[in-house]
Amino acid sequence: MTDPAAQTSFRLAYVPGVTPSKWVRVWGERHPEVPLHLVAASPAEAQEVLRAGEADAGLVRLPVDRDYFSAIPLYTEATVVVVPKDHLVAAADEVTVADLADDIVLHPLDDLLEWERLPGRPALERPATTGDAVELVAAGIGVLVVPQSLARLHHRRDLTYRPLLDAPESKVALSWPEERTTELVEDFIGVVRGRTVNSTRGRRPTPPQPKAERTGKGGRKGGSTGGAQGGKQRGGSATRSGAKGARGSAGGKGGKPGRTGKPRRRS
């Protein structure tokens, strides 16, 4: 592993639609001495950013090159279809791929959904990006199938989206070059996996604290003072016991006050 002392910051790449804010906040609480810098990257660029060492780890969309990268799947996103608000699909709660058979379905070049067969009718040209495809949907050219987070990212008032039940899904993962698994990377793995701050996995262990000094067998340093205090405490206990006993002898059964009778005359 690389010596973490040589690093003064941690760089995290992330692709559109992924929201790393929660993990960034937890990192800041646990490692205020190591600032975290976010590196935005397109899905196509994310792996190259990590290969080039421009980021220590990345929140990316699968698949990645597993011969070079380690990856921990984090969650799977629902897939939706983006349509104009006056489209027939907008009247349904959810749709299937078969419902799009008569529509032109745009397939941008940065699409990472793995289709066995593309739905609907193909467009004459593929848009360069998802953002370009959203503009074409707004222009009435076709519809677009994307992970739900991208539909939210490119939200427009004139568009809406509905869940597409039988479409491929996008998986988001934490990924990094396996040969550069630093201690800071291990620490971030602990953050995304929800490990507590006291966990020994994925974080640097706390150095052991020195034990308190002792003098003599069973005695603490400065025992004479402690003995005096102990004697004072024991004396206090004895006084309380004596007072309790006095109350018990003066009182009758059950601690009630007893009758003393007439005083005796001295002989």
Side-chain angles (χ1 to χ4, degrees), residues 2 7-8 47 89 102 111 116 120 133 151 153 162 177 208 216 223 251 255:
T2 303
Q7 293 186 245
T8 57
Q47 293 188 55
V89 165
D102 295 331
D111 180 20
E116 291 185 5
L153 180 65
R162 292 293 182 268

Side-chain angles (χ1 to χ4, degrees), residues 26 30 187 190-191 193-203:
V26 175
R30 296 186 182 182
D187 285 351
V191 169
R193 282 186 163 173
R195 294 175 188 154
T196 64
V197 69
N198 294 323
S199 172
T200 57
R201 297 185 61 193
R203 66 184 300 270

Side-chain angles (χ1 to χ4, degrees), residues 27-168:
W27 177 272
E29 293 171 353
R30 296 186 182 182
H31 299 282
E33 77 287 357
V34 183
L36 188 152
H37 300 300
L38 292 174
V39 180
S42 70
E45 297 170 343
Q47 293 188 55
E48 294 307 315
V49 167
L50 293 172
R51 285 182 189 273
E54 298 174 10
D56 301 296
L59 298 170
V60 303
R61 295 187 185 276
L62 295 178
V64 296
D65 180 2
R66 297 305 292 266
D67 292 332
Y68 185 81
F69 294 102
S70 293
I72 299 175
L74 299 178
Y75 58 89
T76 300
E77 281 199 70
T79 302
V80 300
V81 55
V82 180
V83 298
K85 282 191 172 181
D86 58 356
H87 194 282
L88 290 176
V89 165
D93 292 330
E94 53 192 26
V95 295
T96 65
V97 171
D99 295 326
L100 306 178
D102 295 331
D103 286 287
I104 294 176
V105 179
L106 302 167
H107 186 214
L109 295 175
D110 62 358
D111 180 20
L112 292 180
L113 294 176
E114 296 184 325
W115 295 95
E116 291 185 5
R117 180 179 179 183
L118 293 176
R121 298 157 48 203
L124 296 177
E125 295 182 3
R126 295 181 63 181
T129 67
T130 297
D132 293 337
V134 170
E135 295 295 330
L136 293 176
V137 174
I141 303 300
V143 301
L144 174 65
V145 178
V146 290
Q148 182 171 315
S149 66
L150 291 182
R152 291 174 176 171
L153 180 65
H154 296 284
H155 171 71
R156 291 175 51 118
R157 292 185 177 181
D158 52 348
L159 300 180
T160 188
Y161 60 86
R162 292 293 182 268
L164 191 59
L165 298 184
D166 50 354

